[in-house]
Structure formats: C-alpha cells, structure tokens
Amino acid sequence: MRVQTLGQFIIEKQNDFPYAKGELSRLLRDIGIAAKIVNREVSKAGLAEILGETGEINVQGENVKKLDVFANDQFIAALKAGGEVCAIASEENEDIIPIDNEVSKTAKYVIAMDPLDGSSNIDVNVSVGTIFSIYRRVSLSGPGTIEDFMQQGTEQVAAGYIIYGSSCMLVYTTGRGVNGFTLDPSIGEFCLSNPDIKTPQDGSMYSLNEGNYLHFPDGVKKYVKYCQEEDKATNRPYSSRYIGSGVADIHRNLLKGGVYIYPTTTKSPNGKLRLLYECNPLAFIIEQAGGKATDGKKRIMEKGMHELHQRTPLFIGSTQMVEKAMEFMLKHETVSS
Ligand code: P6P
C-alpha cells in the first residue's frame, strides 16, 4: 500500500476546501511536530528522569506530573512558533494563554487541549494521550479572548487526539470523516493507517469505573446490571474494559465498538471530564465516525460553554449502546424525580 504521510494527506485534503489558504493545514502540521517530540519523551520516560510529580497541584486539584508539564510546554511552544492561533486553552493552565506576537496577529484560530490525558498512568507504562479542539476565533483582532472558547462544540473546525501507546497514533477530523495515522519511527512521519474510520453501531464492551458504583445515578446502575445479564441474543454479558486513560478506552471503543461512561458521582457531581478540551473534541470525532456522545440526556456538542474548565457527564461510543444507556437514565430519572 502506498505510504501517505500526514503532511501529504493534509495537503491533498486541503484542496477539498477551495478557499483554504493553508492555515488549518499548517496548524495540524504544528500539532504533529509537537506530538512526535512528546512521544519521544513518553517512550523513554522511565529513563529520562521525567517520571514522578513536580510537587505542584494544577487547577483541577490534581498532582502535576513532570511529563504533563513537558507535554504542555512542547505543545504551547510549537503552537506559538507556528503562528496559526491567537490563543490557547490548556487543562494545565487556569486561564487562557493569549498569543500576542507578530506571527499570530493574523491568526484565524484558537486551540483548546488536554496535553497529557490519563497522566496518572505514565509511571506504570499505560497508554496516555493528548486531546485537541480547534475553533475559528470570534474576537475581532489581536490576542484571543475567553469569548473565543465559549463556543458550542458544533462550532469546532477540527478535533483530534494522539495516543502514546504500543504505537503512537494521531486521529483527527475536520468534519469530513475521521482518519488515523501511525507514527513510523524509522522515518519520523505519521503515516495513514486507518483511513475513514467508522465506529461499529453496536458493541460488547463497556468502560466505566465501577468503583464508583454506589454513587452512580440509578440509570447508570441499572445499565451496568443490564451489561452483566446473560442474554445470547444481545451478546451479553458484555466485557468490562477500563484502562483509566480516557483516550485509550475511547480509541479502543472507536475501532472495536463499545461505550465509555463517566457519569456524575458524589466526588464529581458534574462529572469529571472537561467539556472544552476532552468531551467536545472526542464527541466531534465519534460523531464523524458514526457514533454518539451525550451527557446522558443532551448531545455533548450542543451544551453551552460558560466556564473554561467546566465538567460534564460523558456517555460516548457506539450509537446503540449510548442510546440504551440513555433509555435507562430517562426511565430511572422519571422514577426518582
Ligand atoms: P477515574 C484521566 O484523569 C481521566 O480524565 C480520563 O482520561 C480517565 O478515563 C478518567 O479520568 C479516569 O478517572 O476517576 O476513573 O480514575
């Protein structure tokens, strides 16, 4: 099969957008460059004295890992240098990072990112990931503003993730399907490996942290029991697969079929995952691959943004599995209310 690199693919697809002048293409290229640098460090983390914690606590109240900081710094540096964004929002930074340099004065886009999701898994050699979401700026000129990030997920122009696992993969969409690229370390290029990804409409894997079972909404409790029942006709019981790294769980479900749920719990009364740089980009990708993403009731990409790090419950994956879980949520919400 002809090897097609990410760069070649972007240029070829750019021609699909008659008025594109290459800015989005260059922005995606900048992300690919930072991803290769982060992958190099993640793959040798144990040797590079960047395991462990920095001793800081981030805006999420979580211990900051050295690799979190490294990844955040790499993506910010690459994006600033690339000059295609006028502001950045990151899980690692409480406020937005306005870009006020000559190169970015004419920038059309802003980017929101989780530079290293699942970082609690780094020290035990479990896959981690980067998630990104790109919007056209709504502010008129100069450095970007918070308004640029208060847009609904339906306004995203591109979204993707990089998974640093048994191989390094970049998966992204610009609203015309989903394509996956695998890094070939021998040539240092992301090469098209999963063209036009379509997620199965149904599946037999469910991913959620059952340690929180007692604190789940009744609808989720009933759905978990539904997954565990014996019923050959519907291929149950399903398999429980939960890595604790959302990008890894959702990537597996994207390719094989399945549902990932992070509902409200007492510890996370609004859910744990963040709408801006986790749920919206993952929702854009899964919908473009034919799947579904809701908060248990409402489409993720239609939820209003009102706070940079706002959280939301997330039900994402194969359409039929998400809809089944939503049925239980609706039924038991009616009973309990
Ligand atoms: P818990 C990682 O911190 C993350 O945001 C997701 O990637 C992951 O699925 C989830 O949180 C794990 O959370 O509470 O199950 O450990």
Side-chain angles (χ1 to χ4, degrees):
M1 181 173 90
R2 177 173 76 89
V3 168
Q4 184 170 25
T5 67
L6 175 64
Q8 291 166 333
F9 184 87
I10 289 171
I11 296 297
E12 181 186 293
K13 293 299 172 191
Q14 176 185 306
N15 297 334
D16 291 352
F17 295 85
Y19 306 109
K21 298 194 198 70
E23 294 99 330
L24 184 57
S25 301
R26 286 192 293 275
L27 177 45
L28 291 167
R29 176 212 57 199
D30 297 341
I31 292 167
I33 291 167
K36 287 190 248 187
I37 295 169
V38 170
N39 179 61
R40 185 187 59 200
E41 294 308 302
V42 166
S43 57
K44 64 178 184 181
L47 302 172
E49 288 308 306
I50 48 175
L51 285 179
E53 294 169 2
T54 61
E56 296 153 33
I57 304 288
N58 70 12
V59 64
Q60 322 297 338
E62 295 163 345
N63 290 324
V64 179
K65 300 278 185 180
K66 290 176 185 170
L67 215 44
D68 274 343
V69 174
F70 176 84
N72 198 39
D73 293 348
Q74 289 306 317
F75 277 97
I76 291 170
L79 293 164
K80 278 183 173 174
E84 301 301 344
V85 294
C86 60
I88 302 167
S90 169
E91 191 225 22
E92 294 296 328
N93 297 74
E94 186 152 4
D95 301 313
I96 67 166
I97 303 162
I99 313 287
D100 187 10
N101 62 30
E102 264 321 294
V103 183
S104 304
K105 276 213 181 335
T106 55
K108 284 165 59 176
Y109 299 108
V110 295
I111 188 167
M113 66 176 182
D114 184 353
L116 210 62
D117 179 71
S119 53
S120 58
N121 291 294
I122 292 170
D123 300 3
V124 293
N125 206 18
V126 168
S127 301
V128 291
T130 297
I131 311 169
F132 63 89
S133 172
I134 298 168
Y135 293 86
R136 275 183 204 80
R137 70 180 304 169
V138 293
S139 55
L140 296 178
S141 62
T145 67
I146 187 72
E147 269 36 68
D148 293 316
F149 296 95
M150 294 295 116
Q151 303 182 57
Q152 273 195 355
T154 47
E155 297 304 309
Q156 293 174 95
V157 292
Y161 60 80
I162 297 104
I163 179 167
Y164 310 99
S166 46
S167 65
C168 179
M169 272 193 79
L170 186 152
V171 175
Y172 83 94
T173 182
T174 57
R176 296 193 180 197
V178 179
N179 291 281
F181 300 78
T182 300
L183 182 64
D184 179 342
S186 69
I187 58 172
E189 290 283 2
F190 280 105
C191 299
L192 183 63
S193 53
N194 300 70
D196 195 21
I197 298 173
K198 292 297 174 205
T199 195
Q201 286 301 294
D202 202 356
S204 56
M205 280 185 276
Y206 69 105
S207 311
L208 81 174
N209 183 343
E210 296 190 51
N212 295 324
Y213 180 85
L214 291 181
H215 308 295
F216 283 159
D218 287 347
V220 173
K221 288 181 179 175
K222 297 292 184 192
Y223 180 67
V224 169
K225 292 306 165 199
Y226 169 84
C227 292
Q228 294 168 349
E229 284 168 355
E230 297 272 352
D231 178 45
K232 287 210 179 341
T234 53
N235 204 18
R236 288 180 289 149
Y238 296 149
S239 295
S240 171
R241 291 283 184 278
Y242 191 69
I243 300 169
S245 185
V247 171
D249 279 313
I250 291 164
H251 179 69
R252 181 204 53 246
N253 292 351
L254 174 75
L255 299 183
K256 304 264 186 201
V259 64
Y260 170 100
I261 298 175
Y262 208 107
T264 58
T265 65
T266 37
K267 193 175 156 208
S268 307
N270 297 313
K272 177 182 181 184
L273 274 67
R274 277 53 60 101
L275 180 57
L276 177 64
Y277 41 75
E278 291 174 318
C279 299
N280 268 329
L282 293 169
F284 191 13
I285 292 167
I286 204 76
E287 287 196 5
Q288 283 289 310
K292 199 177 182 85
T294 76
D295 64 5
K297 296 177 195 155
K298 187 182 169 88
R299 186 184 177 207
I300 286 288
M301 292 209 288
E302 290 177 355
K303 289 181 70 107
M305 273 294 301
H306 45 262
E307 191 272 318
L308 201 61
H309 299 285
Q310 86 186 58
R311 299 174 189 265
T312 174
L314 179 64
F315 294 60
I316 186 170
S318 297
T319 296
Q320 290 177 29
M321 298 184 84
V322 172
E323 288 177 347
K324 176 58 81 175
M326 289 172 72
E327 273 174 39
F328 282 103
M329 286 295 285
L330 183 62
K331 184 165 166 233
H332 294 281
E333 178 201 47
T334 313
V335 167
S336 55
S337 60

